[in-house]
Amino acid sequence: MSNTKTQANSADEDPFLWLEDRTGKQALDWVHRQNEATTGELQGNPSYQAYFQTALDLMTAEDNIAVGSALSGHVYNFWQDKTNVLGLWRRTPVASYKTEKPDWDTIIDFDRLSAKEGVKWVFSGASRLYPDFSRCLLSLSPDGGDASEMREFDIDTKSFVEGGFRAPASKSGFRWMDKDTVIVSAAFEEDEKTQSGYPRVVKLWQRGTRLEDATPIFEAQKQDLAAGGSLEFDGDKRHLFLTRTLDFFASHSFLRLPSGENRRIPLPDDVTDTMLFRDQLVFGVRSPWSAPDGTRCRPDGLYSLDFARWIETNALGPVDTVLEPADRVSIAGIARTQDRLFINLMDNVRGRVVACQRGGSGWSLQPVALPKDGSVGISHAERFGSSVSFSFTDFLTPSSIIWSDDNAATLTTVKSQPARFDASSLVSEQFEARSKDGTMIPYFVVRRRDQNGPVPTLLYGYGGFEVPLLPGYAGVRGRLWLEKGNAYVQANIRGGGEFGPNWHQAALKANRQNAFDDFIAVAQDLVKRGIATPATLGIQGGSNGGLLTGVSLTQHPELFGAVIIDMPLLDMLRYTELPPGASWMAEYGDPAKPEEAEWLAAYSPYQHVETDAAYPPVLLTTSTADDRVHPGHARKMAGRLQAAGHTKTLFFEETEGGHGGRGDRRPQAAQAAMKYVFLQRALNGTA
């Protein structure tokens, strides 16, 4: 890394601070000029139109799998295609779902609703009322962001309930308590919000009363991440749980007793994977914990306690072991039907599932007979029934849905996506690279079996928030990248969740550089193996992965031929000032504290742009409506790179859709096409 003079550090000297004004005229005028230049260059490329059409066709194909979840005899699904741009929320009987052409009944047509109301509504989910599930609290985002409006809806009549529950757009949460009471996790007024902008107060809202008159029953602290409430069912028992989320990895959970007392459940702050199952509270931990009875609970294990006994006696009682930890095996998630608990495991970044039940002698575990050596997920588990479904995929195998109506005793593949690209000449391999501190970092390579010499290679990474990157089939990537003889690489760097909490904590806060070093080690290993050269190696990451690729650009520009930075964090000295950045301090640290600001400043990409560095072509993307990672990060980085003379810096900002790019598929297809045009140009030496 060069030691030449970097750009100004402090916010006071920041010449691009004005680009943080999300909807300011000056900032948006700049965005429109940038978009015009970027689309002119990338969409003007001869390959673009075919790329766009291919991406759109694949994203909206009518034979894509309709993934759904069963509830009370129906499978519910949200569906988008070329005709239904904003999508349909629909359902079909379970028996019909299993057929080749299910008979779908549309509940809401969001294109029709949007045309009627003049707002591009994006479906954000629904909370359904037990026990018949016909009433729901519908969440509708007006711009694709996280903030949503809530309205009460009747599924049977397919209409909004006149005079029913309704609330304006916010980051509040709504769950049913009973047919006349809603649990509101409120974030409307400033004093109801945490410093991160999420709900701080939980209230009970009675039908026929004003929202502002709802009764507060629980509060978090201003500096906490959020507060929330939900009604949990366990057989015929109902429990109102209240949660004070301290940060991304710590929380306090409470049970609201009939007396009105909120009694804290005495588990460690970093408890994870909690589930109520047949009077047992199942849980995991992120760090070792000794239970009162002496049971040693370890990360990547699963444990349980007698919840009914705790309610009655207020004493924790014995803790049982559900699942012992094992090397390189981590818990991807848990789910339950009425009579079975399912644990989704990752074993060296490959998936498997075990089914658990509890008898007189304790817990018994049985492997579910699912395909091996790919990504296995639990698609749905019916809490009030016995249906469960699983997904299976890998880099070269199209996704399938494997269904069971009897708690996974018998399994049937009911949906298989058609192949989207020719994989016959391709191979998927797993390698390891030695990071700077000696840690071995696994990564997957998908390429032609007969590859002879370096080819254009796209390296993708994330490495944060305990989120794993798993093998998965992607038709757009296959058609626009792999079929053209290029290679794709996915790095399982520290900071992610591939190997449980310890793998994540190894790149937390002051140790963040480990994640960046891991990514660089994979890049160097690809060159060493002859899969790519620096000139043919491109990198891409989004959100926290955008920080990863931003750091890789500024620390090792000599290693890459192209860099894509999507929806990124880049100014780590100001990220807490851009909502909801304060919610991530448990991951990165607090720039207001001198010691923590020091390690943030050491890698923050925005402060390390150099005027005389030889940066490869860069494409930054963001969204105006992104209310999770502020668009100011990408805007300012683009402005600084261009001002420093790096003319191969392109910027594109989507003016609709939030952090996940929800809503209309056409802008998503356009972005995908532009990115592959960008990579093909840069890595084939024509940029």
Side-chain angles (χ1 to χ4, degrees):
M1 180 175 163
S2 167
N3 291 316
T4 53
K5 184 177 183 299
T6 61
Q7 300 285 310
N9 264 338
S10 75
D12 295 337
E13 302 168 1
D14 186 349
F16 298 103
L17 206 60
W18 54 277
L19 285 172
E20 292 181 3
D21 186 356
R22 184 193 300 273
T23 56
K25 184 180 184 306
Q26 185 184 7
L28 287 179
D29 285 347
W30 179 90
V31 165
H32 295 316
R33 289 195 301 272
Q34 294 283 332
N35 282 358
E36 191 175 343
T38 298
T39 55
E41 193 165 326
L42 297 180
Q43 295 187 9
N45 185 280
S47 301
Y48 170 78
Q49 195 56 44
Y51 280 17
F52 166 72
Q53 198 58 54
T54 297
L56 183 61
D57 288 346
L58 292 173
M59 289 178 179
T60 58
E62 293 192 10
D63 57 1
N64 281 335
I65 289 181
V67 178
S69 59
L71 189 62
S72 195
H74 284 90
V75 174
Y76 290 79
N77 162 261
F78 178 69
W79 179 258
Q80 291 172 280
D81 56 28
K82 282 193 179 76
T83 305
N84 304 288
V85 174
L86 294 173
L88 305 171
W89 189 36
R90 59 188 190 170
R91 70 178 182 177
T92 188
V94 171
S96 177
Y97 178 74
K98 296 177 185 178
T99 65
E100 190 174 333
K101 291 192 173 180
D103 182 16
W104 291 103
D105 180 30
T106 298
I107 301 168
I108 300 181
D109 181 330
F110 286 96
D111 293 275
R112 187 173 295 173
L113 177 67
S114 298
K116 179 182 175 183
E117 299 191 354
V119 178
K120 282 191 174 180
W121 292 115
V122 174
F123 182 45
S124 299
S127 171
R128 276 160 284 184
L129 177 62
Y130 176 89
D132 61 9
F133 307 109
S134 62
R135 285 288 178 99
C136 63
L137 303 173
L138 198 69
S139 292
L140 304 162
S141 170
D143 57 9
D146 289 349
S148 295
E149 181 175 309
M150 184 279 286
R151 301 187 206 173
E152 187 177 0
F153 187 85
D154 188 314
I155 292 174
D156 290 340
T157 64
K158 302 179 184 178
S159 61
F160 292 107
V161 176
E162 191 173 343
F165 291 106
R166 183 166 182 166
S170 72
K171 290 189 177 183
S172 303
F174 303 89
R175 304 285 289 273
W176 288 107
M177 181 75 179
D178 57 47
K179 65 182 177 64
D180 292 319
T181 315
V182 170
I183 305 161
V184 183
S185 303
F188 297 102
E189 307 300 329
E190 278 308 309
D191 65 347
E192 294 175 339
K193 299 177 185 176
T194 63
Q195 64 179 355
S196 300
Y198 292 112
R200 190 187 68 80
V201 183
V202 180
K203 304 178 179 183
L204 294 181
W205 183 15
Q206 300 297 324
R207 186 178 296 280
T209 66
R210 300 188 311 162
L211 175 57
E212 47 267 42
D213 295 332
T215 305
I217 60 168
F218 185 73
E219 291 189 8
Q221 301 298 311
K222 192 75 175 176
Q223 69 272 18
D224 292 342
L225 175 56
S230 64
L231 191 67
E232 300 293 334
F233 293 84
D234 188 28
D236 58 358
K237 298 176 182 176
R238 307 182 188 200
H239 302 285
L240 176 52
F241 284 98
L242 301 162
T243 304
R244 178 187 168 200
T245 305
L246 309 180
D247 56 45
F248 261 88
F249 316 108
S251 62
H252 295 167
S253 291
F254 299 79
L255 178 68
R256 187 163 180 85
L257 301 175
S259 65
E261 175 194 352
N262 298 328
R263 185 198 289 176
R264 186 177 167 196
I265 302 169
L267 290 173
D269 288 2
D270 65 356
V271 70
T272 183
D273 296 314
T274 56
M275 177 71 68
L276 199 55
F277 178 75
R278 300 177 75 86
D279 284 335
Q280 293 285 310
L281 181 61
V282 178
F283 66 94
V285 291
R286 290 188 171 92
S287 54
W289 179 66
S290 292
D293 71 341
T295 301
R296 186 72 169 157
C297 302
R298 295 181 292 156
D300 295 319
L302 210 55
Y303 306 90
S304 76
L305 58 89
D306 189 329
F307 194 62
R309 171 179 168 166
W310 173 76
I311 293 173
E312 187 178 336
T313 66
N314 200 16
L316 209 53
V319 170
D320 291 340
T321 298
V322 182
L323 178 79
E324 291 280 6
D327 185 48
R328 290 240 158 179
V329 177
S330 61
I331 298 168
I334 60 176
R336 64 161 294 184
T337 59
Q338 193 163 285
D339 298 314
R340 292 287 186 281
L341 178 72
F342 294 92
I343 309 172
N344 194 177
L345 297 170
M346 286 180 294
D347 191 340
N348 199 26
V349 206
R350 290 170 170 85
R352 57 187 175 93
V353 176
V354 293
C356 316
Q357 53 186 322
R358 184 176 171 79
S361 57
W363 290 93
S364 62
L365 278 62
Q366 179 72 34
V368 178
L370 295 166
K372 293 179 169 55
D373 296 326
S375 292
V376 174
I378 303 171
S379 293
H380 96 282
E382 190 175 8
R383 182 177 287 255
F384 305 102
S386 57
S387 76
V388 58
S389 63
F390 308 93
S391 60
F392 177 81
T393 185
D394 60 33
F395 290 114
L396 302 177
T397 306
S399 302
S400 59
I401 298 292
I402 302 164
W403 190 278
S404 172
D405 288 315
D406 55 9
N407 291 307
T410 56
L411 299 163
T412 306
T413 299
V414 296
K415 303 288 175 191
S416 295
Q417 183 173 301
R420 299 307 193 195
F421 58 93
D422 182 3
S424 60
S425 62
L426 302 174
V427 63
S428 172
E429 303 163 288
Q430 190 179 32
F431 298 112
E432 286 188 326
R434 186 179 298 278
S435 194
K436 190 174 182 179
D437 66 358
T439 302
M440 300 307 293
I441 309 301
Y443 66 93
F444 291 97
V445 178
V446 187
R447 57 176 172 162
R448 286 186 63 88
R449 188 177 282 104
D450 60 357
Q451 182 185 338
N452 182 20
V455 298
T457 300
L458 174 59
L459 168 59
Y460 188 88
Y462 186 77
F465 294 93
E466 215 174 295
V467 174
L469 285 185
L470 305 175
Y473 190 84
V476 174
R477 181 174 66 220
R479 287 280 291 280
L480 300 186
W481 190 250
L482 294 172
E483 272 194 356
K484 300 182 184 303
N486 305 322
Y488 174 75
V489 180
Q490 197 161 281
N492 300 117
I493 64 177
R494 284 173 289 181
E498 288 84 353
F499 302 115
N502 291 337
W503 194 250
H504 167 241
Q505 291 160 13
L508 208 57
K509 291 189 172 182
N511 297 320
R512 199 79 198 170
Q513 187 61 41
N514 283 337
F516 309 139
D517 291 343
D518 293 354
F519 198 62
I520 295 305
V522 172
Q524 293 169 332
D525 203 55
L526 290 168
V527 173
K528 183 180 174 183
R529 291 179 189 273
I531 294 169
T533 65
T536 69
L537 181 58
I539 56 174
Q540 181 180 9
S543 193
N544 172 75
L547 171 63
L548 171 69
T549 52
V551 171
S552 299
L553 170 73
T554 53
Q555 290 188 356
H556 287 279
E558 77 286 354
L559 275 179
F560 309 110
V563 176
I564 297 178
I565 302 172
D566 292 324
M567 307 287 188
L569 288 90
L570 294 167
D571 185 349
M572 299 307 290
L573 297 183
R574 274 186 59 76
Y575 84 93
T576 55
E577 304 299 317
L578 300 174
S583 64
W584 308 319
M585 288 193 288
E587 180 81 10
Y588 302 118
D590 184 356
K593 297 177 179 176
E595 177 195 358
E596 300 184 10
E598 190 174 339
W599 76 56
L600 288 163
Y603 69 76
S604 181
Y606 184 61
Q607 283 76 22
H608 285 273
V609 172
E610 298 173 355
T611 54
D612 61 350
Y615 294 132
V618 180
L619 172 61
L620 296 109
T621 71
T622 187
S623 167
T624 312
D626 190 343
D627 50 4
R628 205 174 309 167
V629 178
H630 196 285
H633 287 279
R635 292 174 179 179
K636 288 168 47 175
M637 188 72 170
R640 176 156 281 178
L641 282 164
Q642 291 170 352
H646 303 294
T647 57
K648 291 182 179 179
T649 300
L650 296 175
F651 173 90
F652 181 78
E653 181 168 321
E654 190 55 66
T655 53
E656 294 180 1
H659 189 62
R662 299 180 302 155
D664 192 337
R665 296 290 196 195
R666 287 170 298 193
Q668 297 170 42
Q671 273 212 40
M674 287 195 291
K675 288 169 188 174
Y676 283 113
V677 166
F678 171 79
L679 289 169
Q680 295 280 17
R681 283 190 341 161
L683 303 183
N684 283 302
T686 58

